[in-house]
Amino acid sequence: MPRYFIEVAYMGTRYSGFQVQLNANTIQAEVARALKIFFGKEFELTGSSRTDAGVHAVQNFFHFDTGTEISSKAVYSLNAILPYDIVVKNIVEVKPEAHCRFNAISRTYHYHITRFKNPFCFGRAYYYPFKANINLLQELATAITTFNNFTSFSKKKTQVKTFNCTIEYSRWIFEDNNWRYEIKGDRFLRGMVKGLVGTMLKLSKHNKTIADLADIFEKQNPSAADFSVASDGLFLMSVEFKESIFHNLV
């Protein structure tokens, strides 16, 4: 049976996360509902990156199997059914063994901060008017690439086989009153990016050092990190796969 990747983007403000949950509205629930309305049948969706409540995505994926023919008009029709804050960007046929979660080779996240109250950033950036040492923030971001065990930056009771992640780059971009933290890695744990951002801001505010960051990593305890920053500023920017898993675009 053919397998398809469905590429989506969304504002996560109104949703309880990406993956389906009981008694909560999620991105997966809305996409599954739209598919059922358009095709008249249930689709079993498997998600790629499980963004938390309030987190946004410029690119994320589901995969599903179906013997139903998927034509080019499906994208337009699904978008007509979906709410305003979710969009289907594409539907791509892949090889039958392709998996949108396990075959992802990297993910990129951005975290946006506004230094001044700005109504046009509401829901899209974290308002942080406090003092911060930008040189230290950059040093801390660079140091993050030297660590592998991110237990301290994973929410408690996260069920994974390993807390090891390989970070390709970690950096801050400072543009006047708009700051952006960018990070790319092979995998991410629940709450990891927010934990990193919150911890860096806290260390910077109190003029700590890279040694203090290393101590948090070494403790391997989420209680040592700071997860207090809001979800508003977090965007999953992209999920990358090897081209070999794809067939032709639909």
Side-chain angles (χ1 to χ4, degrees):
M1 185 177 293
R3 172 163 292 185
Y4 295 89
F5 277 17
I6 179 167
E7 180 184 356
V8 297
Y10 49 87
M11 290 295 295
T13 307
R14 300 193 306 128
Y15 301 95
S16 298
F18 184 66
Q19 191 174 29
V20 69
Q21 302 174 37
L22 291 175
N23 304 315
N25 197 21
T26 64
I27 305 301
Q28 182 174 352
E30 289 289 350
V31 173
R33 183 183 69 87
L35 286 166
K36 183 178 180 180
I37 291 172
F38 180 63
F39 289 104
K41 58 185 292 187
E42 298 278 357
F43 283 79
E44 184 176 343
L45 299 177
T46 298
S48 174
S49 296
R50 302 175 184 177
T51 54
D52 290 337
V55 177
H56 318 300
V58 175
Q59 183 185 61
N60 206 347
F61 291 88
F62 294 104
H63 77 241
F64 62 88
D65 300 327
T66 183
T68 301
E69 181 180 355
I70 306 294
S71 67
S72 57
K73 70 176 183 179
V75 171
Y76 176 86
S77 299
L78 290 171
N79 283 325
I81 298 168
L82 285 164
Y84 68 90
D85 44 9
I86 303 175
V87 62
V88 170
K89 299 172 72 174
N90 211 343
I91 301 177
V92 183
E93 186 175 357
V94 296
K95 293 182 178 178
E97 68 275 13
H99 196 289
C100 68
R101 180 181 177 192
F102 299 133
N103 288 145
I105 58 175
S106 71
R107 296 168 174 84
T108 300
Y109 284 89
H110 288 181
Y111 191 92
H112 294 264
I113 289 175
T114 178
R115 299 286 287 153
F116 289 92
K117 186 176 180 180
N118 184 343
F120 300 104
C121 291
F122 180 76
R124 296 172 176 83
Y126 177 50
Y127 175 41
Y128 188 80
F130 310 105
K131 69 174 184 178
N133 182 333
I134 62 174
N135 292 324
L136 177 57
L137 282 175
Q138 199 67 275
E139 291 173 4
L140 293 169
T142 301
I144 285 169
T145 63
T146 66
F147 297 97
N148 295 110
N149 189 315
F150 285 82
T151 303
S152 291
F153 297 93
S154 175
K155 287 185 176 180
K156 293 181 179 179
K157 299 181 180 179
T158 298
Q159 297 179 344
V160 292
K161 293 181 179 180
T162 175
F163 290 90
N164 288 349
C165 305
T166 300
I167 304 303
E168 182 175 331
Y169 63 73
S170 167
R171 64 199 178 204
W172 283 94
I173 306 296
F174 303 104
E175 298 174 341
D176 297 325
N177 298 316
N178 298 310
W179 295 359
R180 182 174 70 254
Y181 175 60
E182 302 179 349
I183 184 168
K184 180 178 181 180
D186 63 338
R187 62 192 293 267
F188 288 86
L189 305 167
R190 290 181 60 242
M192 179 171 154
V193 180
K194 289 173 60 179
L196 290 170
V197 171
T199 300
M200 283 189 284
L201 290 174
K202 184 176 181 179
L203 292 175
S204 173
K205 183 177 180 180
H206 296 286
N207 291 316
K208 299 295 184 178
T209 66
I210 292 177
D212 295 297
L213 177 66
D215 182 61
I216 293 171
F217 272 96
E218 290 169 7
K219 287 180 178 178
Q220 297 187 16
N221 185 345
S223 298
D226 188 323
F227 294 85
S228 63
V229 298
S231 297
D232 292 358
L234 184 54
F235 288 75
L236 172 60
M237 299 301 296
S238 64
V239 183
E240 295 184 66
F241 303 91
K242 291 182 179 180
E243 292 186 4
S244 59
I245 71 170
F246 294 99
H247 289 311
N248 297 320
L249 296 182
V250 178

